[in-house]
Amino acid sequence: TSAGALLVQRARGLLREAEETLAELGRHAKGLAGRVRLAAQTGVAAHVLPPLLLPLAEQRPEIELVLSVLGTHDTLAGLLVGTLDIGIVTLPIAPQPGLQCRPWRRDPMLACLPPLWQAPARITPAWLADRPMIVNDASTQMQRLTLAWFGAAGQVPRPGIELNYTEAMKSLVAAGYGAAILPIEAEAQDRHAMQLRPLSPPLWRELGLVHRPRELLAPSVWPVLDALLGAVKPQAASRTKPTPRTVRT
């Protein structure tokens, strides 16, 4: 009958949808598909992550990576409430209940100076304290690291501009608004002229990888986490002494 033919047609469609749904759920269960929410700071998101995660995108095209550019405080908050799966944060951090943190990499922090400044080969807290500074705001680990570097020498900097986007801070330095102390990733591609000088005493930015225990993570998160852990070993940044130079960043 016509009613029977309609029922058969609809039933076949429902069976196809059920089979497709089961197949898709299987891909998610095997970690072949899914959404992974990752947070990192500006420089890491722009320079470090792309070459690390590009092979994974080619191997697992059904894994959707949602990247948020966040500071340490907001990243930890997102991990604790479950809106993020993996976070890259600046160390040290206090122990976080329900989260695991492991050292991931370290990058040298350098003095970024306007191109026309006359500067010594190595920058001390005393030399930099009397000059205008571009700094991260008070909620960030970066500002705490910077102030601790000055404080250990009994100096207090002159913050002029507070800004939390590393690339924008570099642009302001290149434009002559002031100096900044920033981590410089080896992977960074240079665009704007500014001077880089090593700090005396040296200062490093330590990064950690934070996430919930592996057994609580969705299977699609596992290959992303493995790619991050396998591509960059803890403390893997170059420990060679930086030399004074002018770069485009």
Side-chain angles (χ1 to χ4, degrees):
T1 65
S2 60
L6 176 61
L7 178 60
V8 169
Q9 179 183 358
R10 295 292 176 84
R12 286 173 176 166
L14 290 172
L15 286 172
R16 282 196 301 271
E17 289 183 10
E19 291 171 354
E20 291 171 358
T21 300
L22 289 174
E24 186 173 351
L25 289 174
R27 291 195 296 274
H28 280 254
K30 295 176 182 178
L32 300 175
R35 175 177 294 182
V36 180
R37 301 158 300 176
L38 170 66
Q41 300 163 8
T42 312
V44 175
H47 304 302
V48 179
L49 293 181
L52 298 188
L53 297 178
L54 180 59
L56 179 65
E58 296 172 345
Q59 297 166 10
R60 303 284 180 92
E62 291 186 84
I63 292 181
E64 177 188 1
L65 186 64
V66 180
L67 177 63
S68 299
V69 178
L70 298 173
T72 295
H73 176 78
D74 291 334
T75 296
L76 292 175
L79 289 165
L80 288 171
V81 300
T83 57
L84 293 172
D85 299 306
I86 303 173
I88 298 171
V89 302
T90 301
L91 302 178
I93 60 171
Q96 303 294 316
L99 298 180
Q100 296 180 350
C101 177
R102 65 187 82 194
W104 189 56
R105 66 178 278 150
R106 71 199 308 255
D107 295 294
M109 294 186 68
L110 304 179
C112 303
L113 309 175
L116 299 181
W117 281 18
Q118 297 297 317
R122 294 186 174 273
I123 303 302
T124 63
W127 186 89
L128 199 54
D130 291 332
R131 289 162 175 81
M133 292 284 298
I134 301 166
V135 299
N136 295 94
D137 71 33
S139 68
T140 64
Q141 288 282 71
M142 296 302 300
Q143 188 184 108
R144 287 189 279 274
L145 285 173
T146 301
L147 293 180
W149 182 77
F150 279 102
Q155 300 291 332
V156 178
R158 291 172 44 197
I161 300 174
E162 290 191 358
L163 189 64
N164 283 344
Y165 290 96
T166 303
E167 300 307 306
M169 293 172 71
K170 292 177 182 178
S171 295
L172 291 175
V173 170
Y177 286 94
I181 294 179
L182 295 172
I184 303 298
E185 297 85 5
E187 300 88 345
Q189 298 296 316
D190 303 328
R191 291 195 307 270
H192 303 299
M194 67 178 184
Q195 300 182 74
L196 294 183
R197 295 288 189 275
L199 300 175
S200 180
L203 183 61
W204 296 85
R205 191 266 315 267
E206 309 274 353
L207 291 178
L209 207 59
V210 185
H211 53 86
R212 293 185 298 281
R214 189 181 181 96
E215 60 271 16
L216 300 181
L217 296 173
S220 58
V221 180
W222 300 348
V224 178
L225 186 59
D226 290 342
L228 294 173
L229 291 173
V232 178
K233 297 179 181 179
Q235 313 289 312
S238 173
R239 294 172 184 265
T240 57
K241 294 182 179 179
T243 54
R245 63 189 191 276
T246 298
V247 303
R248 297 192 169 274
T249 185

